[in-house]
Amino acid sequence: MADNSLPLVSVRNLAVEFTQHGGGPVRALDSVSLDLRPGRVLGVVGESGCGKSVTARAMLRILDRNGSIKNGQILLDPGTPQQTDITALPGEGNRMREIRGGRIGLIFQEPMAALSMQYTVGNQLMEAIRVHNDPGKAVARQRVIKLLNDVGIPRPETRIDTYPFQLSGGLRQRVGIALALAADPDVLIADEPTTALDVTTQAQILALLRRLQVDKKIALMLITHDMGVIAQMADDVAVMYLGRVVEFAPVNEVFAAPRHPYTQALLRSVPNLRAPPHSRLATIGGAVPQPNARPKGCPFHPRCPDMMPGRCDTTAPAPVPPGQAGASCFKVEDAALVEGVAA
Amino acid sequence: MSATTASSASSGASLADDKLAQAGQLRLTWLRFKRHKLALISLFIVALFYLLAIFADFVAISDPHHTDARRSYMPPQGIHLFDENGFAPHVYGLKGSRDMKTFKMVYVPDPSKKIYIAFFAPGYDYNLFGLIPTNRHLFALINPTPVDGIFLLGTDQLGRDLFSRLAVATRISLSIGLASVGLSLILGILLGGISGLYGGIIDTVIQRLIELIRSIPTIPLWMGIAAALPNTWSVLQVYFAITLIISLIGWTELARVVRGRFLALREEDFVIAAELVGAGQFRIMLRHMLPSFTSHVIAAVSLALPAMIISETSLSFLGLGLRPPAISWGILLQDAQNVQVLAGAPWLLLAAVPVVLVILAFNFLGDGLRDAADPYG
Amino acid sequence: MNMLEVSGLTKHYPINAGILRREVGRVRAAEDVNFTISKGETLALVGESGCGKTTVARCILRALKPTSGSIRFSPADGEMVDLAPLSKRQLRPLRRHIQLIFQDPYASLNPRMMVGDIIAEPLLVNGVASAERHRRVLELLDLVGLPAAARTRFPHAFSGGQRQRIGIARALALNPRVIVADEPVSALDVSVQAQIINLLLDLQEQLGLSTLFVAHDLGVVRHVSDRVAVMYVGRIVEVAPTVALYATPRHPYTQALMSAVPKADPLMRDTAAAPIGEVADPANPPPGCAFNPRCPFAIDRCRTERPVLRDVGAGQLAACHRAEELTLAGVG
């Protein structure tokens, strides 16, 4: 990998399970490993139920009550003396509260999820600043105005006293971003930050995220289902399917030479602005299985065009080794083996 | 590559192949309800009480209206299951003796005098289901003297058996709840439905009416209405009057549920879909809207029932509802109003146990039903 | 031959305030909308949220009553009826000819009815006999790629994509002359979305459907439509054949919309700056061209005089004063 700086967060072999009312446990994440590096954007892409949001929530320890981390580590500042395993901290403890917002910020898909209707924008942002490191009311207010200016909100001196419901969707998401940045975190998780927005607003918000991430050297984890957003924003890409990272690679490699059959199929099924009229799209047969009906072996095998009977449907291929480009697929493993022999 | 050509057939091939796929609403609701253990137990308890209500006289041991000063305030008395010859359930006969301090006759069990119990034996006369004259009871004493009896829960001042009175009271208290809910339901669905369906000025008028009714403090209102009931009315007339009074207030909650569901359903895509294929109002109501809210109404009813039962109990307890010789839970508790009486005969408070049990059971049942009501939610 | 001729279609929602509910303003959801759909043609109506595309669709279905304008529809070859003034009762016999494919495959199927009954309902209420209904349901299931066994199952047993197929089967049951598809794939996963797009393409080909395809995703629109109408704040700003619109957009908003779509190619990053500002409020649109505050090419005339939709050559219509002089970048 081009960047060998130490990651700010390393997720290792993370497994998360949800208990269902009256049913057995459902595995939502299975051995997920990811690295977030300063100044880089990790794009996490996948369809519904792939576990991309669960990963984010686990990293902030805000899983729903019926979910729990079953295995693995989430290391903050790995390899440094301050290394902390987030999975080992009490979820509601002081340290975790410091990390949430202070070290790792979160941008929601629906900014209303993070904002209260009863308080002004300024109130909420000032609270976020003062909870972590109180500089006093007057200073905090000045910082909020600067923050609002940073996220591209026009006339921040007046907007600071408006209520979220008085703002348009685009401005609300800007406030959502300001809220995530209030305590100056160096890691930012954006969970589908533009899915609820119109396309022109999306372009603005993506440009803003890009600028902030570069300026502040933030390690950004961008979660989306949109391959276009990934192509425009990500440095590295993790493709997830049914709770596993099936492929990890730098963005150019993923688009130019996808390794995993799922990535290949996903890329082909994206509607194209240059396609001839009435041209058909490549599809992936079937649908994403329900999480409680996880296929045995490789989770993608029932939909995979390259499925090897007796192998893919019995054992799961090894996860992608952290920090290396690769795919969790027997076909890819075999190809690498052949290449190795030839060399 | 198969993935590029497969369009339709591939997706359809993998249909969920379990029984659940063909399960209708009732089955799904039941499956979900079953998981709620507390609700399941509650359902059992409620069913038990309604069985008791139906077979009240059959279960009762002695005539609940029969008074006998000699067995006034008898404490609860156990049944002895075995005698020297093996299984032979019996109770002890009563022996009268004079208390030398108060010169009162007191009756105490006499272990030397065994009176045996037989099942499905003849007892006092009654009409089963109010129709079939019979004297068979679940169990009764064999050849008792007039003073003997099985006092499972003791007796009251007039020597009436509390267990038998409770059994009969259950019938009145539970049926009054059911009747009131039934009436509220008719009012609620009618007015709530009109309100939700037509909207506009009709909706506004009905909603304001509901708010007005709900703003009146209930106890004074009941007191006012109950006081207006003529003293000369028979038990049956008072019974229906009380039902009416309770449901006049109870319908408002149900009307709100129904109206809310109507408003929500009107905007549902599948209802719009039916409209767009040309389905008539009637079909849309019957086929799409009603099935979607019956489950909610059932849940609302099971939560409204305990409130109705409590209403009757409190009214009667305060002496505003049913009056003796009618027997209801509230009337039985009326006897336990006096602290002095309670000190001497604490078992009279046992009449509160079925009230608490049924109310709790209904609440848990309602909770379970509400959770299960929308198996698609 | 035209199946649908919409002209001057306008829908206003009054804004009422105060105790007397006096009208204090109007949301101009759709304003003077004109378009036609000919037999076998798919017209896409695209735009961002609040642009009025859904309002127009609902007016055509007559789920809404338009404030003014006409919706002329052909219930049989050579006949034309204006749907706009008709009452609910007059509409009922006509409803079978215009059917809707919903956006949300979960909300649009009654969870308490079996799939067979859902698909058969349009046939039932229009008086088709039982045996014929049964035959037709099987035929429709096959048409949308579902097995016959689906008939006796409830919607909860199906995935989003399969449910959308059921919704399509229901819409096709009565052989409608016009289909309105309201964002039919936007609620689906990418891989499933492709399946449904392909199904729609198949059906267009097999049945020669005339379709109004309402969507916000220009990528999807490119695949399914013959012509595209772009809406902005209640008005159509450009109509053109699909290929022409993508290659040579003539309205600056069309260009902005296309350039804003993130391209699925990391080698083509940030080729165009995102359009500034936000969509105008349809209750209070700016004078002149509604797009002028965001338009990089706006001149004084754009701020005072509203441009009309006019032919700007090669079958393209655009509502822009400067359509002829501007050279706008398209894609492909």
Side-chain angles (χ1 to χ4, degrees), chain A:
Chain A
M1 190 142 310
D3 187 355
N4 285 320
S5 60
L6 278 177
L8 290 172
V9 178
S10 283
V11 177
R12 287 292 174 268
N13 305 317
L14 186 65
V16 169
E17 275 182 6
F18 286 90
T19 51
Q20 274 183 318
H21 197 62
V26 169
R27 191 145 270 222
L29 283 190
D30 197 25
S31 201
V32 167
S33 298
L34 295 168
D35 284 325
L36 301 185
R37 293 170 194 279
R40 282 183 83 80
V41 180
L42 171 70
V44 179
V45 66
E47 296 179 279
S48 57
C50 76
K52 51 193 196 292
S53 291
V54 175
T55 310
R57 299 187 140 256
M59 287 167 71
L60 289 160
R61 300 291 304 275
I62 49 169
L63 285 171
D64 289 338
R65 201 172 289 216
N66 61 340
S68 60
I69 296 172
K70 285 289 158 197
N71 190 25
Q73 296 170 307
I74 301 165
L75 301 175
L76 190 63
D77 305 318
T80 69
Q82 296 88 42
Q83 173 173 313
T84 314
D85 184 1
I86 288 177
T87 62
L89 295 174
E92 283 311 313
N94 281 339
R95 181 80 184 102
M96 201 55 233
R97 224 166 287 160
E98 266 169 45
I99 293 172
R100 268 197 294 266
R103 291 298 309 279
I104 309 177
L106 176 66
I107 301 169
F108 292 88
Q109 169 176 344
E110 185 37 72
M112 293 320 245
L115 296 170
S116 159
M117 288 298 118
Q118 277 83 44
Y119 296 95
T120 62
V121 166
N123 242 320
Q124 299 180 54
L125 286 168
M126 272 159 72
E127 190 195 345
I129 289 174
R130 298 178 70 184
V131 157
H132 285 278
N133 188 6
D134 192 357
K137 203 169 174 182
V139 180
R141 193 177 162 88
Q142 283 315 305
R143 269 212 223 153
V144 168
I145 291 174
K146 180 168 179 306
L147 205 55
L148 291 176
N149 193 48
D150 282 352
V151 296
I153 292 182
R155 290 179 287 112
E157 308 79 19
T158 51
R159 284 278 164 59
I160 187 170
D161 294 318
T162 55
Y163 290 88
F165 63 83
Q166 296 169 310
L167 301 174
S168 68
L171 284 182
R172 263 184 228 157
Q173 190 56 291
R174 286 175 194 269
V175 173
I177 293 172
L179 194 63
L181 290 173
D184 233 352
D186 48 4
V187 179
L188 202 53
I189 300 174
D191 188 359
E192 302 264 11
T194 58
T195 306
L197 303 175
D198 278 319
V199 60
T200 55
T201 318
Q202 162 171 290
Q204 295 169 2
I205 297 291
L206 291 180
L208 169 69
L209 273 179
R210 185 48 130 175
R211 178 169 64 73
L212 291 169
Q213 178 266 328
V214 171
D215 287 355
K216 295 177 188 275
K217 294 224 178 341
I218 285 172
L220 176 64
M221 175 167 154
L222 180 66
I223 296 170
T224 178
H225 67 280
D226 188 334
M227 276 295 186
V229 172
I230 289 288
Q232 293 299 311
M233 297 286 293
D235 297 313
D236 306 305
V237 182
V239 182
M240 292 187 72
Y241 187 78
L242 268 187
R244 292 174 67 103
V245 175
V246 295
E247 175 161 358
F248 174 82
V251 66
N252 289 341
E253 281 181 38
V254 166
F255 281 83
R259 295 172 171 86
H260 198 283
Y262 176 63
T263 318
Q264 294 166 0
L266 203 58
L267 281 170
R268 272 198 311 267
S269 64
V270 177
N272 191 332
L273 284 180
R274 285 176 187 74
H278 297 283
S279 59
R280 302 168 54 88
L281 284 156
T283 63
I284 310 174
V288 181
Q290 293 294 310
N292 55 6
R294 246 183 122 71
K296 213 170 162 283
C298 170
F300 187 60
H301 85 259
R303 307 176 71 190
C304 184
D306 304 323
M307 200 269 270
M308 292 178 273
R311 195 163 169 210
C312 299
D313 51 0
T314 50
T315 32
V320 185
Q324 289 177 39
S328 169
C329 173
F330 287 122
K331 200 184 108 191
V332 176
E333 277 177 30
D334 293 351
L337 216 61
V338 170
E339 227 168 77
V341 168

Side-chain angles (χ1 to χ4, degrees), chain A residues 47-48 168 198 200 202 204 210 228 231-232 234 252 255 271-273 275 277-281 283-284 286 303, chain C residues 48-49 189 191 193 195 198 201-202 204 219 222-223 226 243 246 262-266 268-270 275 277-278 294:
Chain A
E47 296 179 279
S48 57
S168 68
D198 278 319
T200 55
Q202 162 171 290
Q204 295 169 2
R210 185 48 130 175
Q232 293 299 311
N252 289 341
F255 281 83
N272 191 332
L273 284 180
H278 297 283
S279 59
R280 302 168 54 88
L281 284 156
T283 63
I284 310 174
R303 307 176 71 190
Chain C
E48 299 179 275
S49 55
D189 275 326
S191 65
Q193 170 177 306
Q195 293 172 8
N198 285 353
L201 287 170
D202 287 347
Q204 280 176 356
R222 169 96 194 191
H223 281 269
D226 299 299
V243 178
Y246 283 75
K263 286 155 202 65
D265 184 351
M268 292 177 57
R269 281 199 177 174
D270 303 325
E278 308 225 351
R294 308 177 70 190

Side-chain angles (χ1 to χ4, degrees), chain B residues 7-8 11-12 14-17 20-25 28 269-270 273 275-278 280 283 288 291-292 374 376, chain C residues 92 95 99 102 107-108 110-113 121-122 124-126 145 147 152-154 156-158 162 165 170 195 202:
Chain B
S7 83
S8 28
S11 90
S14 59
L15 275 188
D17 205 29
L20 265 178
Q22 301 192 27
Q25 182 187 5
L28 283 180
D269 274 0
F270 68 80
E275 236 165 81
L276 289 180
V277 300
R283 185 184 160 82
H288 295 281
S292 303
D374 213 346
Y376 315 104
Chain C
R92 262 181 75 182
R95 289 224 183 269
Q99 286 298 307
F102 286 84
S108 58
N110 187 341
R112 289 161 181 84
M113 282 167 81
E121 181 166 48
L124 179 75
V125 298
N126 285 283
T152 55
R153 284 154 200 266
F154 286 88
H156 64 82
F158 297 87
Q162 289 172 324
R165 288 171 196 266
R170 172 178 60 192
Q195 293 172 8
D202 287 347

Side-chain angles (χ1 to χ4, degrees), chain C residues 21-37:
Chain C
R21 316 300 301 154
R22 255 186 336 155
E23 190 178 315
V24 293
R26 288 178 151 214
V27 176
R28 294 160 196 278
E31 191 83 61
D32 192 20
V33 170
N34 302 287
F35 60 83
T36 61
I37 297 176

Side-chain angles (χ1 to χ4, degrees), chain B residues 24-292:
Chain B
Q25 182 187 5
L26 232 107
R27 210 178 131 63
L28 283 180
T29 306
W30 172 242
L31 284 176
R32 241 163 89 144
F33 181 78
K34 259 197 339 197
R35 290 200 222 133
H36 204 307
K37 289 284 173 286
L38 207 53
L40 210 58
I41 296 167
S42 298
L43 179 67
F44 180 71
I45 291 175
V46 166
L48 215 63
F49 267 97
Y50 271 97
L51 271 179
L52 176 65
I54 293 169
F55 294 101
D57 277 311
F58 176 69
V59 176
I61 302 157
S62 49
D63 187 343
H65 297 289
H66 175 74
T67 60
D68 188 333
R70 284 173 297 178
R71 49 191 217 195
S72 164
Y73 291 133
M74 288 297 300
Q77 181 190 6
I79 294 179
H80 304 268
L81 289 179
F82 297 95
D83 67 0
E84 54 276 13
N85 302 324
F87 182 71
H90 62 272
V91 293
Y92 297 137
L94 295 183
K95 191 173 70 179
S97 61
R98 199 164 292 278
D99 185 318
M100 281 314 173
K101 279 184 197 146
T102 57
F103 292 102
K104 259 165 71 182
M105 276 299 274
V106 278
Y107 286 81
V108 289
D110 174 10
S112 64
K113 206 169 106 193
K114 295 192 179 87
I115 303 172
Y116 290 93
I117 295 170
F119 289 96
F120 304 105
Y124 71 93
D125 294 327
Y126 68 97
N127 291 341
L128 187 63
F129 311 129
L131 295 171
I132 311 158
T134 176
N135 62 358
R136 290 285 151 181
H137 290 266
L138 185 58
F139 50 92
L141 294 177
I142 301 168
N143 301 323
T145 62
V147 70
D148 291 327
I150 309 169
F151 310 120
L152 282 177
L153 302 178
T155 62
D156 64 4
Q157 189 192 6
L158 299 178
R160 296 173 295 196
D161 175 37
L162 190 60
F163 176 78
S164 306
R165 283 173 71 77
L166 261 181
V168 175
T170 302
R171 185 169 60 200
I172 290 186
S173 287
L174 287 188
S175 68
I176 223 170
L178 218 53
S180 312
V181 163
L183 208 58
S184 304
L185 198 61
I186 295 170
L187 279 171
I189 289 188
L190 209 67
L191 289 167
I194 290 172
S195 199
L197 202 60
Y198 292 101
I201 187 90
I202 300 173
D203 182 35
T204 312
V205 169
I206 292 176
Q207 289 313 305
R208 292 301 92 79
L209 178 69
I210 288 177
E211 277 155 26
L212 186 76
I213 290 177
R214 292 177 69 92
S215 70
I216 302 170
T218 33
I219 299 255
L221 178 69
W222 281 336
M223 289 172 84
I225 301 177
L229 295 183
N231 262 329
T232 50
W233 277 15
S234 72
V235 170
L236 203 67
Q237 279 172 314
V238 174
Y239 176 93
F240 281 115
I242 296 294
T243 312
L244 203 68
I245 293 170
I246 295 172
S247 40
L248 272 179
I249 293 162
W251 69 272
T252 55
E253 192 54 49
L254 283 164
R256 287 204 158 166
V257 172
V258 171
R259 172 180 177 266
R261 290 305 299 162
F262 257 106
L263 287 181
L265 280 169
R266 243 186 3 187
E267 305 293 319
E268 283 281 345
D269 274 0
F270 68 80
V271 172
I272 294 173
E275 236 165 81
L276 289 180
V277 300
Q281 266 307 317
F282 190 67
R283 185 184 160 82
I284 290 173
M285 287 266 295
L286 218 66
R287 197 80 175 87
H288 295 281
M289 293 175 97
L290 271 173
S292 303

